[in-house]
Amino acid sequence: ALADTFVVGSDQVWNYGLYKHFGEFTLLDFVSSNKNKIAYAASFGVDTWEYSSRETDCCRQLVQAFQAVSVREESGVTLCSKYLGVKAIPVLDPTMLLDKEDYEFLVGQEKESSCDGNMLCYLLDKSETKNRIVNEVAEYLHLSPFSVMPIQPLNRDTVKNINQCVFPPVTKWLRGFMDASFVVCDSFHGAVFSIIFNKPFLVIANKERGMARFDSLLRMYGLEGRLVSENLDISSLEKPIDWVVVNRKREVMKTISLDFLRENLN
C-alpha cells in the first residue's frame, strides 16, 4: 500500500547547509498535494534566517502545505512564524520520547559489556581546550575518563587502517551513559542522553554545529549552567541537578509531543 502521510524531522533537517545540498527534499517537495505532510521536531540548528528571498518564497509555499508543523527549538517557532508564515509548536527531540529503561533494554539485548571508566567523554570536535576541560573535570571529581568513539577519525591518512575508524555499535554508546557517573560532551545528543539517563554533565559550547539547539534544550530544563565555554568555572560542578524537577518537565513535554503525533497521524 502507498503511504498517505509523510513525516519529516528532526535533527537539523531544515538547516540551510542541508538545504544547499539537497534543495527542497526535506520540505517534502516530492510528495503529491493530496497526501498529509507533517513536520515533527524539525530543527534549523540556528536562530538566524539564512535563506535568500527566492529560497524563502519556495520554502514558505511548501511548508504552508503541511498539515501540522512542530519544531525542536523555541527559536524555530519564531523562524517559522516570521519567514514561513506557519504556526509551529515546540516538541521534544524524538529520542526523548523514550525513557532510559527502553534504552537499557536494547543494551541488555546486545549483552554490551561495561565500559572502562566512569566519566564519559563524547567529543565530536576534539581540541586542546576540550582535552584540558576533560582533564580538569576528571581530576576535580576523581573520575576516570573514557570514550565510545573510533580509535582514529576517518581521513586520507587513516584510511589505510580503516578498522580503527569504525564507530562502535549504538548500544555500546548507550552503555557509556549507563556506566558514567559524569558526562562531558560537545554534542546536542550527548546532552540529551545525559538528561534521559539523569547523569550530571557539562556541554562544551560547539558554535560550529549551531548554538540555538543547546540553548533551547538546556533552557527547557533550567540547565543553562551546564553549558561551558573555553574557561571552565570548576565550582559550577558543585551544584547538583534536581532530577525530580527535570524529569517532571520532560514528562509534560513528552505528553505535548505525543499528543501532537496522535492528533496528526490519525
Side-chain angles (χ1 to χ4, degrees), residues 212-224:
R213 308 175 306 144
F214 297 103
D215 294 335
S216 184
L217 174 73
L218 298 175
R219 195 165 51 247
M220 183 186 293
Y221 298 106
L223 296 173
E224 297 95 323

Side-chain angles (χ1 to χ4, degrees), residues 52-91:
S52 70
S53 297
R54 185 190 61 78
E55 291 165 342
T56 300
D57 289 342
C58 185
C59 293
R60 186 188 300 116
Q61 191 175 352
L62 285 166
V63 173
Q64 287 188 355
F66 277 54
Q67 176 182 313
V69 176
S70 63
V71 291
R72 199 178 63 186
E73 285 85 41
E74 284 284 354
S75 56
V77 175
T78 305
L79 295 176
C80 282
S81 172
K82 188 173 180 180
Y83 297 100
L84 301 178
V86 295
K87 185 179 179 184
I89 70 161
V91 293

